[in-house]
Amino acid sequence: MKNDLWYKDAVFYQISVRAYKDSNGDGHGDLRGVTQKLDYLQTLGVDCIWIMPIYPSPLNDDGYDIADYYAVDKTYGALDDLKELIQSAHERDIRIVMDLVLNHTSDEHPWFQASRSDRNSPYRDYYVWSDTDKKYTDARIIFVDTEPSNWTLDEKTGQYYWHRFYASQPDLNFDNPKVQEEMLNVARFWLDLGIDGFRADAVPYLIEREGSNCENLPETHIYLKKLRSFLDEHYPGRILLCEANQYPEDVRPYFGDGDEFHMGFHFPIMPRIYMALKKGRYEDMAEIMRRTPTIPENCQWCTFLRNHDELTLEMVTPEERQWMWEQYAPEPRMKLNMGIRRRFAPLLDNDRRKMELANSILFTLPGSPIIYYGDEIGMGDNLDLFDRNGVRTPMQWDNTPNAGFSTGTPFSELVKGELGYQQINVASQINDPNSYFHTIKRMIAVRKKHTAFGGSSMEWVETGNPAVAVYIRQHSDETMLIFNNLSASAETVNLPDKYQKTTVDLFADHTQTLSEKLTLQPYSYLWLQMPK
Ligand code: NOJ
């Protein structure tokens, strides 16, 4: 595990520990459960697991409201269980990154308890207090469905405190050097335990300034660079992954000169993949990829189709958002904040062709792909559950009671209906060589075999057919020609002369000689390697 640039070619996998596998029958998934499933993840071909927050928390925001940065909540196990997980993963060449929530704590965190107890508390300045709620009015509200304001009045001390998310998640004050120091200590603690890096939550919001929208401020970058140099100095090879739900040109500064984040999520490409599939047109995808700036050599994008939050529509125009809601959220309860709280398979009508096609795009775009747990088998969601819990239900391992997730009473209802565990589960798909799981596994294996996919270059090929996304991925001596037919009909493309060659089909392992025209079946894809 020596290569410090490992993340550039890695396949990531996101796990909600609580929902993954319960090892002790208490109904909650735990760290030992994840350790038990490492063989499965190795079979799938995963290189790095992102585990969602496992800190003690009142769970008002599923653990993104942290009450203690230095412990594992006992429902997930103990610190030793985490060490064991890291060690067992490393033995399989799998890395583990975890959430680092810098921007805010839970209101139950002792710092906030002390801070709110008295205006003269030494912890008062750990948070952002104000006599008025009329400050920073240009900052948008993120949880628009629940939060009327970014300020909440604290009755006892008669001041308002600042929070970008739920009122139970007060923002830390990053203008305070003590807070800056505290969070470096937190990072050190987990890095010393062997963690391979952090998915850094909500980083645009660390600093507030009057007259700005309180996002992406220069002082925020100064702090993040400090965090990076701390990692480089003491923990080379460990990474920082940036969660900034922004347009690519606004995420670009988070890579700095290769001295801030190693990776950043590419948020805007995600909804455009769904748009492309519905419209049968690739132009929106092409537009955002063209708009994506070059990043330093030692950096990489992280691409995804779904995650634990609503499918966010913040990075589209208001008209596009409306259209996406009409197309993908036909029931009002499917909408949440600025997005859609559904999982991947139901969004794509559980249509195997569309699901494979979306993954073909994911795995061939620039950036390292991340798979949300359960999406590799196409599991469903449960819309009866509150907020985003409907996409965080227990993993569907087999068709025994509780999906093989727990022998106790699961913390959550499972998925019901046709995408429930009776039909969709790991055991049955592993046993069926033609299953969706095996297709995803093959895509991962092919991707990992060829460095072209981890490179940064992407060139669109003009074929005269707007329904077929055709592009070149090239790196060192490898050139891949990728076709994705977004349309429900067979489509023919005209190939420029230079591509009319004998190529190798990366899935079929046979050659395919291309001529002037090529016809692709509805929603089909083709990954071809050009001769060297
Ligand atoms: C982003 C996380 O993905 C989301 O789940 C959480 O609610 C907010 N940050 C606040 O931490």
Side-chain angles (χ1 to χ4, degrees), residues 461-519:
V461 178
E462 184 46 63
T463 67
N465 189 333
V468 188
V470 185
Y471 42 87
I472 292 285
R473 298 298 318 282
Q474 196 273 325
H475 187 70
S476 55
D477 63 346
E478 283 189 336
T479 305
M480 305 301 178
L481 177 59
I482 311 293
F483 298 82
N484 295 296
N485 179 9
L486 299 156
S487 148
S489 351
E491 296 285 342
T492 300
V493 293
N494 296 315
L495 279 181
D497 285 354
K498 62 175 171 177
Y499 301 119
Q500 297 177 24
K501 299 261 164 66
T502 297
T503 65
V504 177
D505 182 320
L506 294 178
F507 287 107
D509 238 10
H510 59 53
T511 57
Q512 172 154 1
T513 303
L514 299 175
S515 51
E516 202 183 326
K517 293 200 186 296
L518 177 69
T519 300

Side-chain angles (χ1 to χ4, degrees), residues 47 68 93 104 134 146 203 363 365 382 426 471 473 516:
D47 299 298
D68 179 357
D93 265 357
H104 46 268
K134 302 286 175 291
T146 42
V203 290
F363 284 110
L365 283 178
N382 184 333
V426 170
Y471 42 87
R473 298 298 318 282
E516 202 183 326

Side-chain angles (χ1 to χ4, degrees), residues 246-516:
Q246 316 246 346
Y247 278 103
E249 61 271 21
D250 298 322
V251 179
R252 175 63 189 83
Y254 287 93
F255 294 111
D257 295 324
D259 59 353
E260 204 167 313
F261 280 92
H262 302 78
M263 302 186 78
F265 287 114
H266 198 307
F267 274 92
I269 184 63
M270 182 274 296
R272 286 166 180 80
I273 297 175
Y274 291 91
M275 280 160 69
L277 273 145
K278 243 338 164 204
K279 290 186 184 173
R281 292 280 182 278
Y282 72 86
E283 67 202 53
D284 300 300
M285 272 169 44
E287 191 263 332
I288 204 74
M289 291 314 292
R290 287 201 182 102
R291 189 173 156 183
T292 299
T294 316
I295 55 177
E297 249 319 285
N298 60 344
C299 295
Q300 183 59 297
W301 294 100
C302 189
T303 50
F304 60 99
L305 294 168
R306 282 298 286 116
N307 62 21
H308 63 295
D309 288 325
E310 65 275 30
L311 187 167
T312 169
L313 298 173
E314 281 179 42
M315 293 300 114
V316 298
T317 65
E319 297 73 32
E320 288 169 333
R321 186 175 308 131
Q322 200 49 47
W323 184 86
M324 281 290 285
W325 272 330
E326 283 161 19
Q327 299 299 322
Y328 284 108
E331 291 178 41
R333 64 183 184 150
M334 292 172 172
K335 289 187 195 171
L336 179 70
N337 299 319
M338 300 282 255
I340 303 172
R341 53 181 205 109
R342 299 178 76 192
R343 257 195 189 257
F344 175 70
L347 278 164
L348 296 186
D349 313 314
N350 192 30
D351 181 330
R352 173 90 178 251
R353 296 171 311 170
K354 294 184 199 165
M355 288 159 64
E356 284 192 23
L357 181 62
N359 277 286
S360 162
I361 297 169
L362 177 77
F363 284 110
T364 56
L365 283 178
S368 295
I370 181 157
I371 302 166
Y372 184 49
Y373 85 93
D375 283 347
E376 75 277 22
I377 54 167
M379 72 181 249
D381 50 33
N382 184 333
L383 290 167
D384 294 340
L385 300 173
F386 176 67
D387 195 347
R388 293 153 291 174
N389 295 339
V391 301
R392 302 175 184 180
T393 55
M395 177 68 175
Q396 299 175 182
W397 292 108
D398 56 40
N399 65 3
T400 63
N402 301 333
F405 160 72
S406 172
T407 53
T409 308
F411 69 95
S412 155
E413 254 184 26
L414 282 81
V415 175
K416 299 176 210 156
E418 58 159 354
L419 300 183
Y421 66 92
Q422 293 88 346
Q423 293 76 29
I424 306 290
N425 62 67
V426 170
S428 69
Q429 294 201 23
I430 288 218
N431 289 332
D432 172 5
N434 297 316
S435 68
Y436 178 67
F437 168 86
H438 279 287
T439 301
I440 299 300
K441 184 183 155 188
R442 256 193 313 276
M443 283 188 184
I444 294 175
V446 170
R447 184 189 158 101
K448 283 169 57 167
K449 221 158 82 190
H450 300 283
T451 54
F453 296 112
S456 57
S457 91
M458 178 189 202
E459 195 188 312
W460 292 86
V461 178
E462 184 46 63
T463 67
N465 189 333
V468 188
V470 185
Y471 42 87
I472 292 285
R473 298 298 318 282
Q474 196 273 325
H475 187 70
S476 55
D477 63 346
E478 283 189 336
T479 305
M480 305 301 178
L481 177 59
I482 311 293
F483 298 82
N484 295 296
N485 179 9
L486 299 156
S487 148
S489 351
E491 296 285 342
T492 300
V493 293
N494 296 315
L495 279 181
D497 285 354
K498 62 175 171 177
Y499 301 119
Q500 297 177 24
K501 299 261 164 66
T502 297
T503 65
V504 177
D505 182 320
L506 294 178
F507 287 107
D509 238 10
H510 59 53
T511 57
Q512 172 154 1
T513 303
L514 299 175
S515 51
E516 202 183 326

Side-chain angles (χ1 to χ4, degrees), residues 6 11-17 34 41 46-54 64 85 94-101 195 197-201 239 241-243 265 267 302 304 306-309 370-373:
W6 59 271
V11 173
F12 286 70
Y13 186 90
Q14 176 186 357
I15 289 184
S16 161
V17 176
V34 178
L41 293 166
V46 165
D47 299 298
C48 181
I49 301 167
W50 155 26
I51 50 173
M52 287 168 56
I54 50 170
Y64 285 95
L85 168 62
I94 296 177
R95 291 178 165 87
I96 309 268
V97 300
M98 68 191 296
D99 268 285
L100 180 65
V101 185
I195 209 84
F198 299 107
R199 176 258 190 200
D201 185 74
I239 62 158
L241 164 57
C242 169
E243 193 230 1
F265 287 114
F267 274 92
C302 189
F304 60 99
R306 282 298 286 116
N307 62 21
H308 63 295
D309 288 325
I370 181 157
I371 302 166
Y372 184 49
Y373 85 93

